[in-house]
Amino acid sequence: MAEVNFRLDGKVVLVTGAAYGIGYAMAKALAKAGAKVAFNCRSQQHMDEALKNYEADGISACGFIADLTDEAQVTKLVADIKTSLGIIDILVNNAGIIKRIPMTEMSKADFAQVIDIDLVAPFVLAKAVIPDMIAKGSGKIINVCSMMSELGRETVSAYAAAKGGLKMLTRNIASEYGAYNIQCNGIGPGYIATPQTAPLREKQADGSPHPFDSFIIAKTPMARWGTPEDLEGPVVFLASSASDFVNGHVLYVDGGILAYIGKQPK
Ligand code: NAP
Ligand code: GCO
């Protein structure tokens, strides 16, 4: 039996939205496993900061400015990566936003923007890279899902709809392209301390924890927020040949939230 291999030497990976946050941690881990890393973001300022941070972490990463809601920019992004690094072997659809607005107060435009970035962009990226993966005879697509791929909560209707759809898009890509040796899986982070969740963790005026912070601690068996580094091992596993027969799966990295009814009253 071949040795289980978690190495990515010679592989080209694109991690979208990897200037900071979860995407940055995953890109760093994939690079340390041997991959040639490309990433995108929208702003030159975020790009410049990210490149300095990657260099400080000893990572050689190629950064590209691209707004993933513009299909022409996605097409150019994939072509530029192909020219610079080669065919994309591993696509990590990480870029995403959230809007926390009560549904009846959310505009159609706000709803559509979240869907556009969190669901349509992963579709457009996958559509752009699959033909080369088919020609190469292999590929990995990893979609960053969420607790909201499984659960709802107040004010995040657009995000839950997008992430629920992303779970099913993951399963459908796995179904439609598994025969070409392309594995498509999801990673479902729990509540992770990044800029995206910073508003949920802000200390109160009196210095006490944010109520939502305490809520998540009570809903998480491990009684802590996750860190972006908690995603490093799972993404290397799903990007490597160690997971070649894992297809259509969403790997939840949530400290047990989805398994737990919540801390019982004392
Ligand atoms: P974050 O810190 O807000 O980072 C989001 C990234 O996406 C940024 O790099 C941003 O880049 C990029 N981005 C957003 N819209 C974009 C667009 N239209 N085109 C190109 N890039 C775009 O978020 P995070 O917490 O690291 O989350 C990363 C992913 O994990 C998201 O999909 C999120 O839904 C998901 N997630 C997060 C958590 C959590 O608790 N944090 C849990 C589960 C899932 P620029 O703004 O610089 O362009
Ligand atoms: C929220 C949070 C969550 C996390 C994550 C949980 O407002 O509830 O932002 O949505 O970002 O998706 O897995």
Side-chain angles (χ1 to χ4, degrees):
M1 177 179 167
E3 189 179 327
V4 174
N5 186 5
F6 294 97
R7 292 293 304 173
L8 302 172
D9 302 282
K11 300 289 187 185
V12 174
V13 60
L14 166 59
V15 183
T16 64
Y20 48 87
I22 288 171
Y24 182 90
M26 293 194 294
K28 195 170 63 172
L30 294 166
K32 288 186 175 177
K36 290 184 278 185
V37 167
F39 74 99
N40 86 291
C41 61
R42 286 167 298 183
S43 79
Q44 192 58 51
Q45 180 195 345
H46 287 161
M47 176 65 65
D48 295 343
E49 290 164 11
L51 290 171
K52 284 184 192 143
N53 292 332
Y54 279 115
E55 187 178 5
D57 285 333
I59 305 293
S60 165
C62 287
F64 298 83
I65 298 289
D67 183 338
L68 301 178
T69 61
D70 179 337
E71 190 164 17
Q73 290 188 44
V74 170
T75 303
K76 184 179 185 307
L77 171 65
V78 172
D80 289 349
I81 292 170
K82 199 168 171 178
T83 304
S84 313
L85 298 175
I87 286 172
I88 294 168
D89 298 290
I90 303 155
L91 168 64
V92 181
N93 278 314
N94 168 76
I97 65 165
I98 191 168
K99 289 182 184 284
R100 302 181 181 98
I101 306 167
M103 196 184 94
T104 53
E105 298 167 28
M106 181 180 276
S107 69
K108 180 169 177 288
D110 276 333
F111 187 91
Q113 187 188 12
V114 174
I115 297 292
D116 210 13
I117 296 170
D118 294 11
L119 179 56
V120 176
F123 158 76
V124 171
L125 264 293
K127 195 170 76 137
V129 303
I130 283 172
D132 277 339
M133 290 179 172
I134 291 175
K136 194 165 187 178
S138 65
K140 299 274 189 183
I141 297 173
I142 300 164
N143 294 321
V144 182
C145 297
S146 161
M147 295 291 94
M148 273 58 222
S149 296
E150 303 291 343
L151 304 168
R153 81 171 186 86
E154 299 80 359
T155 76
V156 296
S157 59
Y159 185 81
K163 292 299 188 178
L166 187 57
K167 174 177 75 172
M168 284 315 302
L169 177 64
T170 299
R171 288 178 174 168
N172 213 77
I173 293 170
S175 303
E176 193 163 357
Y177 295 101
Y180 299 97
N181 191 31
I182 295 169
Q183 293 85 47
C184 182
N185 293 288
I187 278 184
Y191 277 80
I192 312 294
T194 71
Q196 193 239 51
T197 56
L200 306 173
R201 291 176 283 108
E202 276 168 7
K203 290 281 188 205
Q204 303 292 280
D206 63 3
S208 63
H210 190 297
F212 198 92
D213 184 350
S214 307
F215 170 69
I216 290 302
I217 298 298
K219 290 288 281 182
T220 308
M222 294 183 70
R224 69 171 175 86
W225 285 72
T227 67
E229 290 67 32
D230 286 322
L231 281 302
E232 293 182 3
V235 77
V236 169
F237 165 65
L238 288 178
S240 73
S241 63
S243 62
D244 276 357
F245 204 55
V246 180
N247 194 29
H249 182 71
V250 179
L251 176 57
Y252 286 102
V253 187
D254 65 355
I257 292 175
L258 289 178
Y260 189 40
I261 195 170
K263 191 166 291 306
Q264 60 196 33
K266 291 216 187 300

